[in-house]
Amino acid sequence: MAEEQKQDNYVVLARKYRPQNFNELLGQDALVQTLTNAIKNNRLHHAYILTGIRGVGKTTTARIIAKALNCNGKDGYGGATINPCGICENCRSISSSRHIDVLELDAASRTGVDDMREILDGVRYKPTNGRYKIYIIDEVHMLSKSAFNALLKTLEEPPSHVIFIFATTEIRKVPITVLSRCQRFDLQRLSIETLVSHFKNIINKENLIAEEEALHLIAKAADGSCRDGLSLLDQAISLGGGSVQTDVVKNMIGLADRNQTFELFEKLISGKTEEVVGIISQMYKNGATPLVVLQDLINITHLIAKVKIVPSFAEDSSLSESEKELCKRLAPNTPVALLSKIWQMMIKGLSELSYAPVQIDALEMILIRIAYSANLPTPYEILNDVKKNSNLVTNCVSKISQQPQKSEIEAIVPVSQNTDVKYQTFNTPEELAQYLEIEKKVLLAYTFKHDLSFSEFSDGRIKFTASEKVNNDFLLNLQNILIEATGKKWDLEVLRGHLGETIADKEQALDNANKKSVSDLPLVKAILSEFKGSKIETLTRKINKEEDVSSEFETTETYFDEDL
């Protein structure tokens, strides 16, 4: 009978060690500080909304607020306090969810407008035993649109004795009209360090034995949720016969041996394909789940990349000793480019596992692909290798005719600003086109270059053939620019008919000739041969007289048709 009674009275850890005051609430310092100041200064809001992932303390926080506002103290004469006594009748009844003035409602089961109307009918009545009538509505995002609308007016101007506390995991599903009437608190995920410390405290109180690594694994698997972590801890205690052992925890949550996973990752980045297949086969025989193994490898990739960028993170207290050792060993010698490539291939592999007929086969193919690609050179390394092995003729730019650049244009067509030169002189259509571009006459310059072909151009006279797009407004604007720039009126003779070679045609022909000349260079020819399907898109001149002539041109954009 005693054993049966003990079983009947057993309370799971998540309920037994639920925080009863703000001091016991874990990882929510900003919320605690805000509510502490609000209670001390009597600046209570009439509605609060608590959001966060499951198991971080939303409902627990709501109950603590209710106790803090309705606590009578040990002597029965206390007022609202940040440290509820937990002894008075109000505190005890709120903790056991039986207080007549603190109504805990589940919006998932009471979603309709009639349910909300029934709740709000009691708002106008003053509390019976407490100072405040408090409505705690869990999973509030499950309410229907009509139920939210029924709540709005009361929520905006409730009686002074009423306080609403909402809890939700889906804050985006709550209408903005409701959010605007509430004071919002985002409860944070609990860190691994915080969870491990909490688990140790519970293990000591329960007079149990637990391995450090086992608690660390449980904290990681909890993913920031205290309730999830305590449920796993409860399960591990039962499986281990009263103790929490690493091997038991690994089998319980389907984790492979951590050191074996580290070894697998090292073989991956070293490109040792045969050893990778051997390790993953052994892990699978020992009960490892393919999806969990791939997720572990993704986490390790992120960890190494983070330590590579932020070396001090290698000493972070959230890392186990084996993780710290791995980071110190791999981070200095593993390129970020390789880690980025592995990350992309693993993330893509997650979707492959979801529809693969046999997951272990899919995982092996993913890891073979990664191990094989680890030894492949990057495009940058290929380019350097081609450059070293090619016989580049350095003095080759003399073969390429160049267009004047902006600095040269300004020398040809000086713009008079605070100088003795008052007017411009244009000897060719190209000079006038360059002047228009410098003056940012974009539309005028485009039409001048693309829709006109010139048969005569001299100082004061232009004879040209114009396309049908050219109208009188263009001619008028061009004449005004010429008068402003040269100080005199020009004779513009316009012909209609077949359009000859335009300035744009000449520029295109020159650009093509330049590309042809550059593509004939040994280095460029070797690059184009190495990257099948690539082509030179643009050329940019580097104006730097101190550099060697061979560096005057650089290919600014090269497109590759094949995914290398």
Side-chain angles (χ1 to χ4, degrees), residues 409-411 413-419 421-422 424 435 438-439:
I409 296 170
E410 292 171 348
V413 189
V415 181
S416 59
Q417 292 183 353
N418 299 325
T419 66
V421 181
K422 186 175 182 181
Q424 312 295 330
Y435 175 79
I438 292 173
E439 292 296 315

Side-chain angles (χ1 to χ4, degrees), residues 27-247:
Q28 313 301 338
D29 296 339
L31 178 149
V32 171
Q33 186 61 49
T34 302
L35 292 177
T36 298
N37 294 339
I39 293 174
K40 285 183 178 179
N41 300 322
N42 195 26
R43 297 181 63 87
L44 295 172
H45 203 273
H46 62 268
Y48 298 95
I49 187 163
L50 310 175
T51 180
I53 66 167
R54 78 272 176 238
V56 291
K58 299 183 292 298
T59 305
T60 297
T61 301
R63 290 180 181 176
I64 294 175
I65 295 174
K67 287 194 290 186
L69 299 181
N70 286 321
C71 178
N72 289 327
K74 296 179 180 180
D75 57 2
Y77 297 100
T81 175
I82 194 60
N83 296 310
C85 66
I87 298 176
C88 68
E89 178 58 27
N90 282 344
C91 286
R92 287 188 286 110
S93 58
I94 291 173
S95 296
S96 58
S97 301
R98 56 181 175 81
H99 197 285
I100 192 172
D101 295 322
V102 179
L103 285 76
E104 292 190 30
L105 310 170
D106 178 20
S109 59
R110 306 184 68 178
T111 62
V113 65
D114 292 335
D115 297 316
M116 188 55 58
R117 188 181 296 116
E118 180 183 343
I119 293 169
L120 297 177
D121 282 343
V123 168
R124 62 180 180 272
Y125 301 111
K126 290 191 174 183
T128 304
N129 296 333
R131 297 182 196 84
Y132 295 93
K133 181 171 283 191
I134 298 176
Y135 291 87
I136 300 174
I137 304 181
D138 202 8
E139 301 300 336
V140 69
H141 66 273
M142 298 292 289
L143 291 177
S144 66
K145 182 178 180 181
S146 299
F148 274 124
N149 290 336
L151 179 65
L152 286 179
K153 188 60 181 177
T154 303
L155 184 62
E156 184 173 14
E157 297 177 359
S160 59
H161 60 269
V162 172
I163 291 178
F164 290 96
I165 305 176
F166 303 135
T168 178
T169 55
E170 301 285 348
I171 191 67
R172 294 182 180 180
K173 294 183 179 179
V174 179
I176 190 64
T177 49
V178 173
L179 290 177
S180 64
R181 291 165 166 82
C182 301
Q183 193 171 99
R184 172 176 169 176
F185 291 100
D186 291 83
L187 277 69
Q188 305 298 312
R189 291 175 183 266
L190 301 185
S191 67
I192 294 176
E193 184 179 10
T194 300
L195 288 174
V196 170
S197 176
H198 186 48
F199 296 160
K200 287 181 179 179
N201 185 39
I202 291 175
I203 291 295
N204 291 334
K205 289 181 179 179
E206 295 288 321
N207 295 319
L208 300 174
I209 300 173
E211 296 179 5
E212 177 85 17
E213 186 178 355
L215 296 181
H216 198 84
L217 290 174
I218 293 174
K220 276 197 168 183
D223 194 27
S225 170
C226 186
R227 184 173 62 235
D228 287 6
L230 291 177
S231 297
L232 290 172
L233 182 61
D234 230 337
Q235 185 178 356
I237 292 172
S238 298
L239 282 174
S243 63
V244 183
Q245 303 170 16
T246 302
D247 293 339

Side-chain angles (χ1 to χ4, degrees), residues 321-346:
E321 290 302 320
S322 56
E323 286 175 327
K324 292 178 181 178
E325 180 63 29
L326 180 74
C327 292
K328 292 177 181 178
R329 190 166 63 251
L330 296 185
N333 302 318
T334 307
V336 175
L338 176 59
L339 293 170
S340 178
K341 180 169 63 175
I342 291 175
W343 171 272
Q344 291 175 350
M345 297 175 76
M346 287 183 177

Side-chain angles (χ1 to χ4, degrees), residues 471-489:
N471 54 32
N472 291 334
D473 288 340
F474 168 78
L475 300 175
L476 180 61
N477 291 333
L478 180 61
Q479 184 67 268
N480 291 336
I481 289 292
L482 289 170
I483 293 173
E484 181 182 340
T486 63
K488 62 182 178 181
K489 187 175 181 180

